[in-house]
Amino acid sequence: MIVVLLNVYLVILFCLVRFRIVPFNLFWKISPVVVLLLLLIGLFIPMNWGAPQGPALVVRNSVAIVPNVAGEVVEVPVQANTPLKAGDTLFRIDPVPYQAKLDALQAQLHLSQLRLSEKTRLQTSSAGRAYDVEQAQAEVAQLQAQVTGAKWDLDKTVVRAPAGGYVTNLALRAGARVANLPLSPVMAFIDTSETIIGVEIPQIDARYIEPGQPVEVTFKFEPGTVYSGKVESVLQAVATGQTQTSGAAVTSKAIQTLPFVVRVKLDDAEFAKRLPAGSTGDAAIFTDHVRAAHFIRKVLLRQIAITNYINPL
């Protein structure tokens, strides 16, 4: 862009000299250098923090599906990469052993309730002890709690979608045995209920970014188009600033200046829902500083949007 502006100035200067409006003296000969320095120092360098630009990435939350109960899978009704609603069935585990356990506990509970009723009548007629009634009440309460747990286990034999989204890389089949171990997920569920768009901004350019500032984004998924949005937040931590609990002393390591990540939200919510996870692009954030450079940044971003038709990277 600076080359375009400089060339425009040179054309204007040529016309002014050609028609003898200005003399072609030493001042006008070196004026292109002066203009170049003024553009660099007064406009293009400040534009980096007045209207910072960086690569954008669309990510979605991935939920590792781990069943709450173990057993043999009897049905997997879902298909990979097919939209699902929250609560749709992902797969079913054989409910027979859990139903049998529930039936046994309910039978024991029924018997304990009968015994409690009998001991209560005996205690009321002074033919029984209060201790026996209290013990029977405790047995009934314990069995009621076990029945509640057994019903929960039986209900969890049907594993459901935690949110709107889809299952990807589906390998689970009927007949497989699954376990309720955190380190043994059986499928990956991609949550599409929320679209997360992150923009990497160099630390030197992120000083004036605040929530609510306007954003423009162009994606390679939709070349030639620029979408508007707003800054949601600036993530307050990067990997180099993270410490973990350990029994070792501080270990020095090379310090890296990683870019900060700015989370943005598009105004077009429907388009945001259609964006596949992993979509990349470029985004420009327009702060309250160096407003004169905002127009130039808009032009540069639209140039990138057009080149996305032929640029695969």
Side-chain angles (χ1 to χ4, degrees), residues 10-178:
L10 290 175
V11 171
I12 295 174
L13 179 61
F14 174 80
C15 294
L16 292 176
V17 173
R18 180 69 178 80
F19 294 105
R20 298 182 179 181
I21 299 176
V22 297
F24 194 52
N25 54 25
L26 180 61
F27 172 78
W28 292 107
K29 289 180 180 179
I30 65 172
S31 64
V33 177
V34 176
V35 171
L36 177 61
L37 292 176
L38 289 176
L39 288 174
L40 279 174
I41 299 174
L43 190 59
F44 280 89
I45 293 178
M47 180 176 65
N48 290 328
W49 61 77
Q53 178 179 325
L57 176 66
V58 178
V59 297
R60 300 191 185 280
N61 291 319
S62 177
V63 181
I65 302 297
V66 179
N68 290 289
V69 295
E72 180 183 348
V73 176
V74 294
E75 183 184 7
V76 185
V78 297
Q79 296 181 350
N81 304 313
T82 301
L84 299 170
K85 297 179 181 179
D88 286 351
T89 300
L90 299 179
F91 62 94
R92 292 185 174 89
I93 298 173
D94 188 1
V96 173
Y98 298 98
Q99 183 66 59
K101 180 180 178 181
L102 176 60
D103 293 342
L105 288 172
Q106 287 177 331
Q108 294 178 26
L109 175 61
H110 180 67
L111 178 60
S112 295
Q113 288 173 335
L114 290 176
R115 288 179 176 176
L116 174 60
S117 177
E118 294 172 353
K119 291 179 180 180
T120 301
R121 286 198 300 269
L122 289 174
Q123 195 268 338
T124 303
S125 61
S126 300
R129 298 181 301 174
Y131 171 80
D132 293 335
V133 175
E134 293 171 353
Q135 187 179 27
Q137 289 174 340
E139 290 177 356
V140 170
Q142 183 179 12
L143 285 171
Q144 286 176 336
Q146 291 179 0
V147 168
T148 300
K151 288 181 178 179
W152 186 86
D153 288 343
L154 180 61
D155 180 67
K156 294 304 177 180
T157 58
V158 180
V159 181
R160 304 182 185 277
Y166 58 89
V167 175
T168 186
N169 195 21
L170 179 62
L172 185 66
R173 295 293 184 270
R177 183 170 182 82
V178 296

